[in-house]
Amino acid sequence: MSALVKITNLTRIFDVSKPWLNRVIERLPVALLKAVSDVSLDISEKTAYALVGESGSGKSTIGKIVVGLQPPTEGSVEIEGVDLAREKDEAVVKKIRSDIQMIFQDPFASLNPRWRVKKIIEEPVKAIGGNTTGVAEKLLELVGLSKDDANKYPHEFSGGQRQRICVARALSSEPKLIVCDEPTSALDVSVQAQVLNLMSDLKDRLGLTYLFISHDLTVVRHMADKIGVLYLGRLVEEAPTEVIFADPQHPYTQMLFDAAPKLDSFGREVDPPKGEIPDPINPPSGCAYHPRCPKVIDLCKSERPELKENKDRRVACHLVQN
Amino acid sequence: MGDTVLSVKDLVVDIPTRKGVLRPVDRVSFDINEGEVLGVVGESGAGKSMTGNAIIGLLDPPAHIASGEILLKGSPIQNLEKKEMQKIRGFEIGMVFQDPLTSLNPLIPIGEQLSETIRKHLPVDKKTADKRALAALDEVGIPAAASRINNYPHQFSGGMRQRVVIALALCAEPSLVIADEPTTALDVSVQAQIISLLKQLCRERGTAVMLITHDMGVIAEASNRVAVMYAGRLAELGSVEKVLTTPEQPYTQGLMASTPLASEGKKRLNQIPGAMPTLGALPSGCAFHPRCEFAYDKCRVDPYPTLSDCNGRAACWLVTENSEKR
């Protein structure tokens, strides 16, 4: 399998300083927030790669850089071998752009309330100058809605149906890669199951590649082939889904798995994890997880562990032996 | 288990509209005992928050309690005067809402908000109230509480804010706490902290808790008993082990089957077809029958089954029929 997406040493820094005049008068330093630091990963064609992490871990930022909504500060994202942020040839950029689509979290905010569903679904096709006849109707049936829904407005649909419309819109330009940013976290459980099933069916039928961004480990387990765990902008562990669930090695991954509520844990009494995600403007020295880590050693406080490759997984922890 | 703290009997909430009366809560009955956590679970629009709001008298007009009884330690509290209700709210019943940022006043330091609440409900002077506020913050695990007592809500992280809200709910030592989606806005690791804090504090004080959530995992972890709601009606009520491992009502069964589990591999999820009906277009009979694979003639006609019509645990005609056959 070849890599459809190749992310190399990706770093994204946001300037969150006060306006320059305040900085001069109040003598404040420039504040830089490193949302993503030095992330490298490959997504193979026709697989689902999931980025997992808590809020502030940089997972959505990576998603936005992949679709080109934000430029990388350093490093590169190559899709089918083309770096969209640096490619000069307009025609190539346009071609690759049409291969990428995105599904957002909130289906109530991501559909234009004044447009009919037909227009919403056809928009990506029009943008690349394609033929729109019958596209909306065909796609609506593909995602389990009816042909007649094409002339309705978004408010006439429930949350789950709206997310189906979002899926249909994402499919209309016949993309290869779909970036899904928390696609089901706004939905109820029974509807979530419908949308997840639809998405995995479509992946098999149309040969899609997903970059799946989620904080919900149970959802990820059902969808992903490979999982990357992010903590404070860095990849701390990456492995195929079955491997990581069977044997999580990074203490942060272990904590995430333990903290997730389980259906069979009646009256479970365990010590909850310590602390919260630290301030990303002043991250801790060494390993960013060391203030919360139950297994911390002195080395963790001074030296940041490299992401080391070990058979089919990569882990960034001093304690994990190769 | 101790005495019954809250007893809700045949609670009906109505919202009159131009197109007719909507009924977001329909004949709901349950008890909560001292030191017990009752989980109320359901999808959005199931009426779980509406039930919570009805109990503490925070229904937005035109929504109102049409009939039924809410007994707090044996005395009715439904449709009380505004002044009377204010005495109960915060003192007898504490409340924890979903979003900790909007439930705290952004312009007042948290210490002041706490001591104000304490002085409102308990006969203590300002000094004692301040001391109590500090103790309350310590208790919910705010590090270096003494130095943070004069901080404003925006200076705290989400998890810390929710701890402050819990301190606020518990500071007047209420006998019942209603927690409406207390961890939905939080990350998993912080969620685990908040749940264990809530459980620990309530166990220590014998506070009864009504935990409203849509997350089955949270229910399994935190509650003793669980009430499943669907379209404003109780679908199933029982001990958490029984309801989650051997659900009787088809809706609960579907809900459990469609919840993805971390313990099982990649596979197709079971899905319940369709979506919950809107209140304006409820089907006749059992509200779940259009989505139910076991539905038969009796399910489609009124009256719909309630818990007391059936075996007291699941509101489903099939449950009664099966037990009669046995």
Side-chain angles (χ1 to χ4, degrees), chain B residues 167-190:
Chain B
L168 210 50
L170 290 173
C171 65
E173 313 216 323
S175 43
L176 171 72
V177 169
I178 299 178
D180 193 350
E181 306 263 10
T183 59
T184 310
L186 306 173
D187 279 317
V188 246
S189 64
V190 181

Side-chain angles (χ1 to χ4, degrees), chain A residues 23-95:
Chain A
R23 282 216 311 272
V24 172
I25 296 170
E26 295 164 30
R27 292 168 194 259
L28 295 169
V30 175
L32 295 177
L33 191 154
K34 223 175 194 184
V36 179
S37 40
D38 202 15
V39 170
S40 301
L41 54 93
D42 291 348
I43 306 174
S44 309
E45 222 170 307
K46 296 180 188 175
T47 62
Y49 188 103
L51 283 173
V52 193
E54 297 180 276
S55 39
S57 61
K59 51 192 194 304
S60 289
T61 309
I62 294 179
K64 282 181 189 158
I65 296 173
V66 169
V67 294
L69 285 174
Q70 273 174 12
T73 310
E74 280 163 41
S76 66
V77 177
E78 284 177 19
I79 291 155
E80 297 174 72
V82 179
D83 183 353
L84 285 179
R86 293 185 182 83
E87 179 63 46
K88 293 282 184 296
D89 189 347
E90 285 279 333
V92 176
V93 171
K94 208 172 171 189
K95 157 91 193 41

Side-chain angles (χ1 to χ4, degrees), chain A residues 99-161:
Chain A
D99 284 344
I100 317 165
Q101 279 294 343
M102 188 157 182
I103 298 171
F104 297 92
Q105 174 172 359
D106 187 354
F108 290 84
S110 58
L111 296 173
N112 188 335
R114 310 183 76 170
W115 280 15
R116 289 183 197 274
V117 169
K118 190 177 164 70
K119 195 174 172 191
I120 291 172
I121 295 176
E122 284 171 354
E123 194 190 13
V125 185
K126 274 196 187 130
I128 55 169
N131 182 9
T132 59
T133 33
V135 169
E137 287 79 5
K138 199 184 90 210
L139 284 168
L140 280 172
E141 289 193 335
L142 188 68
V143 298
L145 295 171
S146 124
K147 239 186 336 207
D148 309 326
D149 292 333
N151 284 318
K152 291 183 182 165
Y153 287 97
H155 76 261
E156 295 174 65
F157 297 90
S158 68
Q161 289 172 324

Side-chain angles (χ1 to χ4, degrees), chain A residues 191-246:
Chain A
V191 180
Q192 165 176 296
Q194 295 171 6
V195 174
L196 289 178
N197 282 342
L198 171 73
M199 287 178 65
S200 51
D201 288 349
L202 289 172
K203 175 177 165 258
D204 298 342
R205 258 173 78 183
L206 306 173
L208 299 168
T209 307
Y210 286 143
L211 172 58
F212 205 88
I213 296 164
S214 181
H215 68 278
D216 191 335
L217 289 163
T218 52
V219 168
V220 162
R221 168 129 214 202
H222 277 272
M223 290 297 294
D225 299 302
K226 205 173 194 185
I227 294 177
V229 182
L230 287 167
Y231 188 71
L232 223 62
R234 281 181 194 277
L235 209 52
V236 294
E237 184 162 5
E238 183 199 57
T241 308
E242 291 312 313
V243 176
I244 205 169
F245 269 89

Side-chain angles (χ1 to χ4, degrees), chain B residues 90-171:
Chain B
F91 180 51
E92 291 282 0
I93 309 177
M95 190 85 197
V96 179
F97 293 99
Q98 173 172 350
D99 186 357
L101 192 56
T102 47
S103 41
L104 292 169
N105 188 332
L107 297 175
I108 302 175
I110 53 152
E112 211 170 297
Q113 297 192 37
L114 273 164
S115 78
E116 185 198 337
T117 314
I118 294 168
R119 284 211 292 159
K120 174 114 193 160
H121 295 295
L122 303 174
V124 291
D125 60 23
K126 181 141 187 2
K127 241 187 180 163
T128 340
D130 286 346
K131 244 187 231 156
R132 276 215 187 186
L134 187 59
L137 286 179
D138 256 335
E139 218 180 343
V140 294
I142 304 246
S147 65
R148 304 211 66 181
I149 194 153
N150 289 321
N151 284 11
Y152 290 88
H154 77 265
Q155 290 167 298
F156 291 84
S157 68
M160 286 298 151
R161 263 182 229 141
Q162 197 61 297
R163 285 172 193 262
V164 174
V165 174
I166 290 175
L168 210 50
L170 290 173
C171 65

Side-chain angles (χ1 to χ4, degrees), chain B residues 233 283-289 298-305:
Chain B
R233 302 163 186 179
S284 63
C286 171
F288 187 60
H289 87 250
K298 198 176 178 186
C299 306
R300 296 185 185 99
V301 291
D302 287 327
Y304 68 86

